[in-house]
PDB file of all heavy atoms in Angstrom:
ATOM      1  N   VAL A 133     -24.222  -2.457  -1.742  1.00 98.00           N
ATOM      2  CA  VAL A 133     -23.469  -1.363  -1.182  1.00 98.00           C
ATOM      3  C   VAL A 133     -22.399  -0.964  -2.075  1.00 98.00           C
ATOM      4  O   VAL A 133     -21.627  -1.834  -2.623  1.00 98.00           O
ATOM      5  CB  VAL A 133     -22.768  -1.847   0.218  1.00 98.00           C
ATOM      6  CG1 VAL A 133     -21.839  -0.679   0.703  1.00 98.00           C
ATOM      7  CG2 VAL A 133     -23.804  -2.242   1.245  1.00 98.00           C
ATOM      8  N   GLN A 134     -22.329   0.325  -2.478  1.00 98.00           N
ATOM      9  CA  GLN A 134     -21.305   0.833  -3.360  1.00 98.00           C
ATOM     10  C   GLN A 134     -20.093   1.263  -2.523  1.00 98.00           C
ATOM     11  O   GLN A 134     -19.778   2.274  -2.221  1.00 98.00           O
ATOM     12  CB  GLN A 134     -21.843   2.082  -4.138  1.00 98.00           C
ATOM     13  CG  GLN A 134     -22.960   1.673  -5.105  1.00 98.00           C
ATOM     14  CD  GLN A 134     -23.373   2.836  -5.894  1.00 98.00           C
ATOM     15  OE1 GLN A 134     -23.122   4.009  -5.608  1.00 98.00           O
ATOM     16  NE2 GLN A 134     -24.043   2.482  -7.100  1.00 98.00           N
ATOM     17  N   GLY A 135     -19.430   0.102  -2.162  1.00 98.00           N
ATOM     18  CA  GLY A 135     -18.361   0.222  -1.135  1.00 98.00           C
ATOM     19  C   GLY A 135     -16.983   0.870  -1.669  1.00 98.00           C
ATOM     20  O   GLY A 135     -16.892   1.032  -2.906  1.00 98.00           O
ATOM     21  N   ARG A 136     -16.057   1.062  -0.801  1.00 98.00           N
ATOM     22  CA  ARG A 136     -14.844   1.562  -1.076  1.00 98.00           C
ATOM     23  C   ARG A 136     -13.690   0.691  -0.481  1.00 98.00           C
ATOM     24  O   ARG A 136     -13.771   0.308   0.644  1.00 98.00           O
ATOM     25  CB  ARG A 136     -14.561   2.974  -0.454  1.00 98.00           C
ATOM     26  CG  ARG A 136     -15.631   4.019  -0.924  1.00 98.00           C
ATOM     27  CD  ARG A 136     -15.340   4.423  -2.252  1.00 98.00           C
ATOM     28  NE  ARG A 136     -16.306   5.454  -2.757  1.00 98.00           N
ATOM     29  CZ  ARG A 136     -17.450   5.118  -3.548  1.00 98.00           C
ATOM     30  NH1 ARG A 136     -17.632   3.777  -3.852  1.00 98.00           N
ATOM     31  NH2 ARG A 136     -18.262   6.008  -3.890  1.00 98.00           N
ATOM     32  N   ILE A 137     -12.738   0.266  -1.363  1.00 98.00           N
ATOM     33  CA  ILE A 137     -11.612  -0.590  -0.939  1.00 98.00           C
ATOM     34  C   ILE A 137     -10.360   0.111  -1.281  1.00 98.00           C
ATOM     35  O   ILE A 137     -10.143   0.650  -2.357  1.00 98.00           O
ATOM     36  CB  ILE A 137     -11.751  -1.971  -1.801  1.00 98.00           C
ATOM     37  CG1 ILE A 137     -13.033  -2.686  -1.338  1.00 98.00           C
ATOM     38  CG2 ILE A 137     -10.537  -2.828  -1.411  1.00 98.00           C
ATOM     39  CD1 ILE A 137     -13.328  -3.929  -2.274  1.00 98.00           C
ATOM     40  N   VAL A 138      -9.505   0.163  -0.274  1.00 98.00           N
ATOM     41  CA  VAL A 138      -8.204   0.786  -0.458  1.00 98.00           C
ATOM     42  C   VAL A 138      -7.182  -0.188   0.008  1.00 98.00           C
ATOM     43  O   VAL A 138      -7.189  -0.763   1.079  1.00 98.00           O
ATOM     44  CB  VAL A 138      -8.067   2.127   0.353  1.00 98.00           C
ATOM     45  CG1 VAL A 138      -6.732   2.743   0.172  1.00 98.00           C
ATOM     46  CG2 VAL A 138      -9.175   3.091   0.109  1.00 98.00           C
ATOM     47  N   THR A 139      -6.223  -0.507  -0.935  1.00 98.00           N
ATOM     48  CA  THR A 139      -5.122  -1.412  -0.603  1.00 98.00           C
ATOM     49  C   THR A 139      -3.857  -0.678  -0.543  1.00 98.00           C
ATOM     50  O   THR A 139      -3.729   0.526  -0.984  1.00 98.00           O
ATOM     51  CB  THR A 139      -5.060  -2.519  -1.641  1.00 98.00           C
ATOM     52  OG1 THR A 139      -4.543  -1.931  -2.860  1.00 98.00           O
ATOM     53  CG2 THR A 139      -6.312  -3.237  -1.937  1.00 98.00           C
ATOM     54  N   ILE A 140      -2.787  -1.227   0.067  1.00 98.00           N
ATOM     55  CA  ILE A 140      -1.516  -0.576   0.281  1.00 98.00           C
ATOM     56  C   ILE A 140      -0.435  -1.227  -0.562  1.00 98.00           C
ATOM     57  O   ILE A 140      -0.093  -2.408  -0.385  1.00 98.00           O
ATOM     58  CB  ILE A 140      -1.153  -0.545   1.757  1.00 98.00           C
ATOM     59  CG1 ILE A 140      -2.356  -0.169   2.658  1.00 98.00           C
ATOM     60  CG2 ILE A 140      -0.001   0.281   1.974  1.00 98.00           C
ATOM     61  CD1 ILE A 140      -2.855   1.180   2.440  1.00 98.00           C
ATOM     62  N   GLY A 141       0.051  -0.436  -1.540  1.00 97.00           N
ATOM     63  CA  GLY A 141       1.245  -0.764  -2.267  1.00 97.00           C
ATOM     64  C   GLY A 141       2.527  -0.184  -1.616  1.00 97.00           C
ATOM     65  O   GLY A 141       2.519   0.050  -0.422  1.00 97.00           O
ATOM     66  N   SER A 142       3.493  -0.092  -2.435  1.00 96.00           N
ATOM     67  CA  SER A 142       4.858   0.397  -1.946  1.00 96.00           C
ATOM     68  C   SER A 142       5.680   0.810  -3.047  1.00 96.00           C
ATOM     69  O   SER A 142       5.587   0.188  -4.202  1.00 96.00           O
ATOM     70  CB  SER A 142       5.531  -0.680  -1.097  1.00 96.00           C
ATOM     71  OG  SER A 142       6.872  -0.323  -0.817  1.00 96.00           O
ATOM     72  N   PRO A 143       6.561   1.749  -2.873  1.00 94.00           N
ATOM     73  CA  PRO A 143       7.632   2.025  -3.897  1.00 94.00           C
ATOM     74  C   PRO A 143       8.393   0.808  -4.299  1.00 94.00           C
ATOM     75  O   PRO A 143       8.869   0.621  -5.412  1.00 94.00           O
ATOM     76  CB  PRO A 143       8.450   3.146  -3.334  1.00 94.00           C
ATOM     77  CG  PRO A 143       7.595   3.833  -2.354  1.00 94.00           C
ATOM     78  CD  PRO A 143       6.670   2.744  -1.778  1.00 94.00           C
ATOM     79  N   THR A 144       8.638  -0.065  -3.320  1.00 94.00           N
ATOM     80  CA  THR A 144       9.372  -1.366  -3.614  1.00 94.00           C
ATOM     81  C   THR A 144       8.588  -2.189  -4.597  1.00 94.00           C
ATOM     82  O   THR A 144       9.178  -2.848  -5.519  1.00 94.00           O
ATOM     83  CB  THR A 144       9.487  -2.089  -2.320  1.00 94.00           C
ATOM     84  OG1 THR A 144      10.362  -1.405  -1.402  1.00 94.00           O
ATOM     85  CG2 THR A 144      10.147  -3.499  -2.569  1.00 94.00           C
ATOM     86  N   GLY A 145       7.347  -2.235  -4.579  1.00 95.00           N
ATOM     87  CA  GLY A 145       6.508  -2.968  -5.527  1.00 95.00           C
ATOM     88  C   GLY A 145       6.557  -2.328  -6.890  1.00 95.00           C
ATOM     89  O   GLY A 145       6.300  -3.017  -7.978  1.00 95.00           O
ATOM     90  N   GLN A 146       6.751  -1.011  -6.987  1.00 95.00           N
ATOM     91  CA  GLN A 146       6.791  -0.316  -8.212  1.00 95.00           C
ATOM     92  C   GLN A 146       8.237  -0.345  -8.916  1.00 95.00           C
ATOM     93  O   GLN A 146       8.319  -0.406 -10.207  1.00 95.00           O
ATOM     94  CB  GLN A 146       6.434   1.185  -7.989  1.00 95.00           C
ATOM     95  CG  GLN A 146       5.087   1.378  -7.356  1.00 95.00           C
ATOM     96  CD  GLN A 146       3.870   0.896  -8.230  1.00 95.00           C
ATOM     97  OE1 GLN A 146       3.422  -0.179  -8.029  1.00 95.00           O
ATOM     98  NE2 GLN A 146       3.547   1.770  -9.179  1.00 95.00           N
ATOM     99  N   ARG A 147       9.238  -0.340  -8.040  1.00 95.00           N
ATOM    100  CA  ARG A 147      10.621  -0.214  -8.620  1.00 95.00           C
ATOM    101  C   ARG A 147      11.608  -1.268  -8.084  1.00 95.00           C
ATOM    102  O   ARG A 147      12.743  -1.291  -8.589  1.00 95.00           O
ATOM    103  CB  ARG A 147      11.114   1.194  -8.304  1.00 95.00           C
ATOM    104  CG  ARG A 147      10.250   2.300  -8.829  1.00 95.00           C
ATOM    105  CD  ARG A 147      10.995   3.669  -8.649  1.00 95.00           C
ATOM    106  NE  ARG A 147      12.265   3.697  -9.285  1.00 95.00           N
ATOM    107  CZ  ARG A 147      12.432   4.049 -10.566  1.00 95.00           C
ATOM    108  NH1 ARG A 147      11.432   4.363 -11.368  1.00 95.00           N
ATOM    109  NH2 ARG A 147      13.652   4.090 -11.096  1.00 95.00           N
ATOM    110  N   GLY A 148      11.214  -2.049  -7.097  1.00 95.00           N
ATOM    111  CA  GLY A 148      12.190  -3.000  -6.477  1.00 95.00           C
ATOM    112  C   GLY A 148      13.011  -2.351  -5.375  1.00 95.00           C
ATOM    113  O   GLY A 148      13.101  -1.217  -5.321  1.00 95.00           O
ATOM    114  N   ASN A 149      13.579  -3.230  -4.535  1.00 94.00           N
ATOM    115  CA  ASN A 149      14.512  -2.825  -3.511  1.00 94.00           C
ATOM    116  C   ASN A 149      15.254  -4.092  -3.040  1.00 94.00           C
ATOM    117  O   ASN A 149      14.831  -5.131  -2.918  1.00 94.00           O
ATOM    118  CB  ASN A 149      13.685  -2.292  -2.303  1.00 94.00           C
ATOM    119  CG  ASN A 149      14.617  -1.585  -1.263  1.00 94.00           C
ATOM    120  OD1 ASN A 149      15.516  -0.909  -1.721  1.00 94.00           O
ATOM    121  ND2 ASN A 149      14.232  -1.700  -0.093  1.00 94.00           N
ATOM    122  N   PHE A 150      16.590  -3.766  -2.827  1.00 94.00           N
ATOM    123  CA  PHE A 150      17.544  -4.874  -2.426  1.00 94.00           C
ATOM    124  C   PHE A 150      17.009  -5.580  -1.132  1.00 94.00           C
ATOM    125  O   PHE A 150      16.647  -4.881  -0.164  1.00 94.00           O
ATOM    126  CB  PHE A 150      18.818  -4.180  -2.163  1.00 94.00           C
ATOM    127  CG  PHE A 150      19.979  -5.233  -1.925  1.00 94.00           C
ATOM    128  CD1 PHE A 150      20.813  -5.741  -2.956  1.00 94.00           C
ATOM    129  CD2 PHE A 150      20.133  -5.775  -0.627  1.00 94.00           C
ATOM    130  CE1 PHE A 150      21.751  -6.652  -2.774  1.00 94.00           C
ATOM    131  CE2 PHE A 150      21.138  -6.717  -0.358  1.00 94.00           C
ATOM    132  CZ  PHE A 150      21.980  -7.163  -1.452  1.00 94.00           C
ATOM    133  N   GLY A 151      16.996  -6.854  -1.175  1.00 96.00           N
ATOM    134  CA  GLY A 151      16.769  -7.555   0.022  1.00 96.00           C
ATOM    135  C   GLY A 151      15.178  -7.797   0.316  1.00 96.00           C
ATOM    136  O   GLY A 151      14.818  -8.288   1.350  1.00 96.00           O
ATOM    137  N   GLN A 152      14.434  -7.444  -0.628  1.00 96.00           N
ATOM    138  CA  GLN A 152      12.935  -7.504  -0.497  1.00 96.00           C
ATOM    139  C   GLN A 152      12.214  -8.278  -1.615  1.00 96.00           C
ATOM    140  O   GLN A 152      11.213  -7.815  -2.145  1.00 96.00           O
ATOM    141  CB  GLN A 152      12.349  -6.067  -0.337  1.00 96.00           C
ATOM    142  CG  GLN A 152      12.793  -5.480   1.011  1.00 96.00           C
ATOM    143  CD  GLN A 152      11.906  -4.233   1.390  1.00 96.00           C
ATOM    144  OE1 GLN A 152      11.835  -3.356   0.515  1.00 96.00           O
ATOM    145  NE2 GLN A 152      11.486  -4.149   2.524  1.00 96.00           N
ATOM    146  N   THR A 153      12.729  -9.433  -1.981  1.00 97.00           N
ATOM    147  CA  THR A 153      11.995 -10.186  -3.029  1.00 97.00           C
ATOM    148  C   THR A 153      10.637 -10.507  -2.680  1.00 97.00           C
ATOM    149  O   THR A 153       9.761 -10.313  -3.507  1.00 97.00           O
ATOM    150  CB  THR A 153      12.759 -11.545  -3.147  1.00 97.00           C
ATOM    151  OG1 THR A 153      14.135 -11.249  -3.628  1.00 97.00           O
ATOM    152  CG2 THR A 153      12.072 -12.489  -4.119  1.00 97.00           C
ATOM    153  N   ASN A 154      10.381 -10.875  -1.367  1.00 98.00           N
ATOM    154  CA  ASN A 154       9.050 -11.271  -1.000  1.00 98.00           C
ATOM    155  C   ASN A 154       8.072 -10.086  -0.959  1.00 98.00           C
ATOM    156  O   ASN A 154       6.977 -10.081  -1.488  1.00 98.00           O
ATOM    157  CB  ASN A 154       9.087 -11.993   0.408  1.00 98.00           C
ATOM    158  CG  ASN A 154      10.010 -11.290   1.396  1.00 98.00           C
ATOM    159  OD1 ASN A 154      10.485 -10.194   1.191  1.00 98.00           O
ATOM    160  ND2 ASN A 154      10.298 -12.041   2.442  1.00 98.00           N
ATOM    161  N   TYR A 155       8.523  -9.018  -0.349  1.00 97.00           N
ATOM    162  CA  TYR A 155       7.811  -7.811  -0.209  1.00 97.00           C
ATOM    163  C   TYR A 155       7.457  -7.127  -1.602  1.00 97.00           C
ATOM    164  O   TYR A 155       6.388  -6.664  -1.860  1.00 97.00           O
ATOM    165  CB  TYR A 155       8.610  -6.773   0.692  1.00 97.00           C
ATOM    166  CG  TYR A 155       7.828  -5.527   1.005  1.00 97.00           C
ATOM    167  CD1 TYR A 155       6.744  -5.556   2.008  1.00 97.00           C
ATOM    168  CD2 TYR A 155       8.237  -4.270   0.527  1.00 97.00           C
ATOM    169  CE1 TYR A 155       6.192  -4.381   2.316  1.00 97.00           C
ATOM    170  CE2 TYR A 155       7.617  -3.130   0.944  1.00 97.00           C
ATOM    171  CZ  TYR A 155       6.544  -3.191   1.818  1.00 97.00           C
ATOM    172  OH  TYR A 155       5.903  -2.007   2.206  1.00 97.00           O
ATOM    173  N   ALA A 156       8.499  -7.053  -2.531  1.00 97.00           N
ATOM    174  CA  ALA A 156       8.357  -6.522  -3.799  1.00 97.00           C
ATOM    175  C   ALA A 156       7.220  -7.307  -4.541  1.00 97.00           C
ATOM    176  O   ALA A 156       6.441  -6.739  -5.197  1.00 97.00           O
ATOM    177  CB  ALA A 156       9.646  -6.446  -4.625  1.00 97.00           C
ATOM    178  N   ALA A 157       7.392  -8.680  -4.452  1.00 98.00           N
ATOM    179  CA  ALA A 157       6.419  -9.478  -5.173  1.00 98.00           C
ATOM    180  C   ALA A 157       4.970  -9.278  -4.693  1.00 98.00           C
ATOM    181  O   ALA A 157       3.939  -9.203  -5.446  1.00 98.00           O
ATOM    182  CB  ALA A 157       6.799 -10.995  -4.975  1.00 98.00           C
ATOM    183  N   ALA A 158       4.823  -9.141  -3.287  1.00 98.00           N
ATOM    184  CA  ALA A 158       3.523  -8.988  -2.746  1.00 98.00           C
ATOM    185  C   ALA A 158       2.901  -7.590  -3.102  1.00 98.00           C
ATOM    186  O   ALA A 158       1.792  -7.472  -3.546  1.00 98.00           O
ATOM    187  CB  ALA A 158       3.574  -9.146  -1.289  1.00 98.00           C
ATOM    188  N   LYS A 159       3.756  -6.502  -3.088  1.00 98.00           N
ATOM    189  CA  LYS A 159       3.200  -5.156  -3.275  1.00 98.00           C
ATOM    190  C   LYS A 159       2.941  -5.016  -4.882  1.00 98.00           C
ATOM    191  O   LYS A 159       1.997  -4.313  -5.223  1.00 98.00           O
ATOM    192  CB  LYS A 159       4.173  -4.221  -2.826  1.00 98.00           C
ATOM    193  CG  LYS A 159       4.302  -4.079  -1.286  1.00 98.00           C
ATOM    194  CD  LYS A 159       2.985  -3.831  -0.682  1.00 98.00           C
ATOM    195  CE  LYS A 159       3.072  -3.604   0.829  1.00 98.00           C
ATOM    196  NZ  LYS A 159       1.757  -3.402   1.445  1.00 98.00           N
TER     197      LYS A 159
END
Side-chain angles (χ1 to χ4, degrees):
V133 177
Q134 294 186 337
R136 300 285 179 266
I137 298 171
V138 183
T139 69
I140 311 300
S142 168
T144 295
Q146 302 295 97
R147 300 186 61 87
N149 192 34
F150 187 95
Q152 291 194 309
T153 295
N154 45 13
Y155 186 71
K159 291 304 189 182

